[in-house]
């Protein structure tokens, strides 16, 4: 089944019901789309891509937008005709786009106005792209203005019949070995994700999911899919910056739930505790859940959320490869009873904790979380070796070390790799280390996650300078800013000897213990 069939069904059953609300608080703007209009726009886009540009089933299409109604209409316009959508992180820099394009070999590239300069810098190296479609007032003569699609009159239903194994998306998820990994999801795996996430919470068509986190991120998108399936409204907040915007959206749009990362929770709690926000001034009766995810949440934050907020708390654990969102869930009543737990596997998910030989360990023993589920990715795009390494006997090996208690609840203890999770974004130290090794005054470097109350972890660089050299911290940070996306730039730099073992391997456990007294990559 084509995942877009949910959209088609809603257009038939609830044509005049509001499907999407877009709020832009910074500009005091609001617009809406009914299910009928949503479906028509995706047909308009799909028909243009297919009939005017010759995009066919299996072709990859790069997709780069900030959260907006157009993010979703273009996404569904692409998958409706059987093409494969490649949603890019809006924080990607030129080299990231080129890297993604070299793997996906896209035939077209749709992007928002804020990315025009970036695309212009990269375009000469996007060799397979035949058509660049630019949204906004500025469009180079050799590109196609998005207005050409908006003015296209063919809105005939274009949904293509798809098999479960047909590719739907290539999603570049942060890896631990230096490059983002291209995860392939199919129409079948994302339909299973829709059903699984939908059964993790009781939903009806009267619900309203507030979309705050970036849609390119599997958490936000995959958690919204069940709301799409039942015909519920989705409300997008553009350029989210202030906690009060969440409360205003809940009050004015009757939103019922949203997915949040730790910095959002910290900002909201700080403003409540500092009396900058008075919850009694808002009508929040519709608010059912705040869903935390994308990174570990310190127990004290859970306690404060429960104390201050009128809704229930749900914590979700998942990976993009295994269908993101709520692969494991711990619910409100168990969060304090089972501190540090990620809960139990959800519908359609078989979880195991395995030792180095692939054997299941006993309760209380440490092992690697492995997942078997119809939500699982097809594999890593054009990388059968990595796919075979990570999927064995039908189980996906997550790289997360965990234990299970006697009641079957799972607890993530450490990362098998040294990936940093900061503000919900996965950051791989190898990339930053490689950049810093290019600095003329740097002799050696190690990058680790450093505990932070707001982001849980921030990027910390331990820099060993060449003998006789002296460089200020600001210079190291500026060097990184010129070569890395901002969220990857170290927020903390210390100058010290970098510790390696006799074979040259970085001893990051030693560095962590030295600088914040823990060997683990992160602590709950």
């Amino acid at each position: 089944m084509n995942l877009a069939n949910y959209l088609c069904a809603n257009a038939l059953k609830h044509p005049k019901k509001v499907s999407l609300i877009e709020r832009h608080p910074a500009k005091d703007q609001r617009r809406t789309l009914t299910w009928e209009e949503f479906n028509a726009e995706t047909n308009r886009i799909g028909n243009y891509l297919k009939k005017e540009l010759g995009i066919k089933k299996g072709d990859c299409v790069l997709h780069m937008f900030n959260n907006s109604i157009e993010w979703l209409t273009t996404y569904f316009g692409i998958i409706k005709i059987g093409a494969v959508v490649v949603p890019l992180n809006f924080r990607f820099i030129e080299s990231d786009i080129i890297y993604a394009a070299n793997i996906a070999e896209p035939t077209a590239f749709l992007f928002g106005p804020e990315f025009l300069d970036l695309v212009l810098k990269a375009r000469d190296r996007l060799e397979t792209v035949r058509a660049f479609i630019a949204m906004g007032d500025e469009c180079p003569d050799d590109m196609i203005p998005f207005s050409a699609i908006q003015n296209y009159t063919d809105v005939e239903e274009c949904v293509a019949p798809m098999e479960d194994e047909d590719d739907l998306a290539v999603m570049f998820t942060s890896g631990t070995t230096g490059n983002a990994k291209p995860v392939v999801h199919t129409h079948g795996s994302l339909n299973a994700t829709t059903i699984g996430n939908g059964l993790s919470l009781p939903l009806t068509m009267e619900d309203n999911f507030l979309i705050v986190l970036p849609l390119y991120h599997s958490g936000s998108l995959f958690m919204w899919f069940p709301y799409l399936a039942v015909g519920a409204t989705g409300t997008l907040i553009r350029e989210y910056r202030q906690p009060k915007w969440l409360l205003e959206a809940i009050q004015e749009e009757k939103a019922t739930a949203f997915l949040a990362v730790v910095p959002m929770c910290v900002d909201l709690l700080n403003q409540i505790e500092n009396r900058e926000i008075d919850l009694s001034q808002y009508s929040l009766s519709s608010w059912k859940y705040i869903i935390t995810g994308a990174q570990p949440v310190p127990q004290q934050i859970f306690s404060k959320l429960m104390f201050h907020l009128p809704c229930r708390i749900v914590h979700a654990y998942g990976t993009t490869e295994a269908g993101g969102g709520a692969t494991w869930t711990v619910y409100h009543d168990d969060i304090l009873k089972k501190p540090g737990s990620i809960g139990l596997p959800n519908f359609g998910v078989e979880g195991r904790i395995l030792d180095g030989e692939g054997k299941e360990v006993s309760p209380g023993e440490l092992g690697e979380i492995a997942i078997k589920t119809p939500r699982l990715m097809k594999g890593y795009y054009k990388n059968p070796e990595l796919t075979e390494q990570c999927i064995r006997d039908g189980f996906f090996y997550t790289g997360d070390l965990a234990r299970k208690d006697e009641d079957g609840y799972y607890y993530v203890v450490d990362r098998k790799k040294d990936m940093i999770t900061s503000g919900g974004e996965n950051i791989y130290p190898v990339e930053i280390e490689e950049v810093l090794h290019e600095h003329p005054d740097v002799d050696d470097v190690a990058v680790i996650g450093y505990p932070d109350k707001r982001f849980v972890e921030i990027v910390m660089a331990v820099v060993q300078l060449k003998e006789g050299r002296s460089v200020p911290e600001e210079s190291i940070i500026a060097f990184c800013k010129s070569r890395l996306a901002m969220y990857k730039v170290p927020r903390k730099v210390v100058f010290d000897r970098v510790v390696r073992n006799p074979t040259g391997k970085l001893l990051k456990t030693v560095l962590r213990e030295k600088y914040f007294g823990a060997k683990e990559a992160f602590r709950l």
Side-chain angles (χ1 to χ4, degrees):
M1 180 187 93
N2 192 317
L3 191 73
N5 279 334
Y6 287 118
L7 174 54
C8 302
N10 288 331
L12 289 172
K13 293 188 294 183
H14 324 294
K16 304 303 179 185
K17 183 179 185 295
V18 174
S19 62
L20 297 174
I21 300 168
E22 179 187 295
R23 296 172 62 91
H24 201 322
K27 295 184 177 180
D28 195 24
Q29 294 175 349
R30 179 184 184 272
R31 58 184 178 137
T32 65
L33 215 60
T34 65
W35 285 113
E36 184 177 56
E37 292 167 337
F38 188 178
N39 194 56
E41 287 307 306
T42 61
N43 286 333
R44 193 188 314 277
I45 294 164
N47 284 323
Y48 187 93
L49 295 176
K50 181 179 179 179
K51 297 179 180 180
E52 303 301 319
L53 300 182
I55 305 297
K56 61 184 184 301
K57 178 181 176 180
D59 285 348
C60 285
V61 178
L62 290 186
H63 173 282
M64 194 173 194
F65 293 89
N66 280 313
N67 279 16
S68 60
I69 283 176
E70 285 73 26
W71 197 106
L72 290 167
T73 57
T74 50
Y75 183 98
F76 278 89
I78 293 166
I79 71 169
K80 255 197 175 187
I81 61 172
V84 180
V85 64
V86 186
L88 300 182
N89 185 332
F90 63 71
R91 295 186 179 93
F92 271 6
I93 59 176
E94 179 185 349
S95 60
D96 295 322
I97 294 174
I98 294 167
Y99 168 77
N102 285 340
I103 292 173
E105 297 182 308
T107 55
F109 191 172
L110 285 80
F111 57 91
E114 54 271 72
F115 305 111
L116 177 58
D117 289 344
L118 194 59
V119 174
L120 286 172
K121 292 177 183 176
R123 67 172 301 171
D124 288 343
R125 296 183 63 184
L126 307 180
E127 297 175 359
T128 63
V129 177
R130 302 195 310 262
F132 291 85
I133 303 168
M135 182 181 289
D137 297 331
E138 295 182 36
C139 181
D141 292 339
D142 54 354
M143 292 186 178
I144 299 169
F146 190 74
S147 59
I149 296 180
Q150 293 174 311
N151 295 328
Y152 198 61
T153 57
D154 187 350
V155 294
E156 181 182 359
E157 185 55 65
C158 65
V159 65
M162 304 298 285
E163 300 297 328
D164 283 351
E165 63 271 19
D166 287 331
D167 296 350
L168 183 152
V170 177
M171 305 178 70
F172 283 85
T173 184
S174 299
T176 58
T177 54
N179 286 314
K181 295 177 289 186
V183 172
V184 180
H185 269 293
T186 65
H187 286 265
S189 67
L190 290 188
N191 186 42
T193 295
T194 300
I195 296 168
N197 283 346
L199 292 175
S200 67
L201 292 174
L203 304 179
T204 74
M205 66 178 292
E206 301 307 320
D207 280 299
N208 184 340
F209 187 66
L210 190 57
I211 302 169
V212 188
L213 297 177
L215 281 164
Y216 73 79
H217 195 287
S218 64
S220 197
L221 182 63
F222 292 1
M223 290 302 291
W224 170 74
F225 279 162
Y227 293 81
L228 161 72
V230 300
T233 301
T235 297
L236 300 111
I237 295 182
R238 296 197 65 166
E239 299 178 16
Y240 171 76
R241 291 195 296 273
Q242 298 185 35
K244 71 174 185 177
W245 292 352
L246 295 169
L247 304 176
E248 289 169 354
I250 293 168
Q251 174 176 268
E252 295 167 17
E253 312 298 353
K254 305 303 177 188
T256 54
F258 64 90
L259 177 65
V261 290
V262 171
M264 291 170 59
C265 298
V266 170
D267 291 346
L268 176 59
L269 290 169
N270 284 344
Q271 291 198 16
I272 292 171
E273 293 176 346
N274 294 336
R275 299 185 179 180
E276 297 172 56
I277 285 178
D278 181 356
L279 291 179
S280 68
Q281 299 303 304
Y282 295 89
S283 175
L284 304 174
S285 59
S286 67
W287 192 4
K288 298 179 182 178
Y289 304 102
I290 180 171
I291 307 162
T292 59
Q295 63 188 132
V297 179
Q299 200 66 18
Q300 64 175 358
I301 291 179
F302 277 137
S303 299
K304 288 183 177 182
L305 291 172
M306 289 181 175
F307 179 78
H308 288 290
L309 302 186
C311 64
R312 295 179 71 79
I313 316 300
V314 177
H315 182 66
Y317 165 88
T319 66
T320 299
E321 288 91 339
T327 317
W328 262 254
T329 307
V330 60
Y331 294 95
H332 189 94
D333 294 337
D334 286 331
I335 285 174
L336 297 184
K337 293 178 186 175
K338 301 280 189 179
S341 176
I342 59 170
L344 301 168
N346 275 329
F347 175 82
V349 176
E350 180 184 352
R352 294 183 183 177
I353 297 182
L354 306 176
D355 63 18
E357 297 178 353
K359 297 177 181 178
E360 198 160 6
V361 303
S362 300
E365 293 183 355
L366 194 65
E368 182 175 356
I369 294 180
I371 305 171
K372 188 175 187 179
T373 174
R375 302 164 60 142
L376 188 61
M377 67 173 179
K378 189 176 187 176
Y380 294 112
Y381 196 57
K382 297 180 181 176
N383 197 333
E385 295 81 11
L386 183 58
T387 302
E388 290 174 8
Q389 178 185 333
C390 295
I391 301 177
R392 286 169 265 162
D393 299 321
F395 281 86
F396 171 68
Y397 285 66
T398 64
D400 287 330
L401 296 178
R403 61 179 175 84
K404 185 165 62 172
D405 67 18
E406 295 288 348
D407 297 321
Y409 283 73
Y410 286 67
Y411 299 76
V412 174
V413 176
D414 199 353
R415 295 188 183 91
K416 196 172 183 181
K417 303 289 185 179
D418 293 316
M419 183 175 68
I420 299 165
T421 302
S422 182
E425 290 287 350
N426 292 337
I427 301 169
Y428 24 90
V430 170
E431 181 182 7
I432 305 167
E433 289 163 357
E434 287 177 350
V435 166
L436 283 171
H437 274 295
E438 296 174 4
H439 193 290
D441 298 312
V442 171
D443 185 44
D444 204 357
V445 62
V447 171
I448 59 175
Y450 186 87
D452 182 82
K453 289 182 179 179
R454 183 163 183 261
F455 290 93
V456 177
E457 292 180 296
I458 57 173
V459 176
M460 172 178 172
V462 181
V463 177
Q464 180 175 312
L465 296 175
K466 293 177 180 177
E467 190 172 352
R469 305 289 177 89
S470 178
V471 179
E473 178 181 355
E474 293 78 12
S475 175
I476 296 294
I477 293 173
F479 185 83
C480 290
K481 283 182 178 179
S482 70
R483 290 162 172 80
L484 294 166
M486 279 301 298
Y487 71 99
K488 301 176 184 177
V489 173
R491 292 172 179 262
K492 185 177 181 66
V493 177
V494 297
F495 297 96
D496 200 353
R497 185 176 70 87
V498 173
V499 186
R500 293 180 180 268
N501 69 8
T503 63
K505 182 178 179 180
L506 286 169
L507 297 178
K508 293 188 177 182
T509 53
V510 175
L511 294 173
R512 292 188 195 104
E513 195 163 32
K514 178 177 181 177
Y515 288 106
F516 53 90
K519 294 181 180 180
E520 295 84 7
F522 66 93
R523 295 174 295 176
L524 289 172

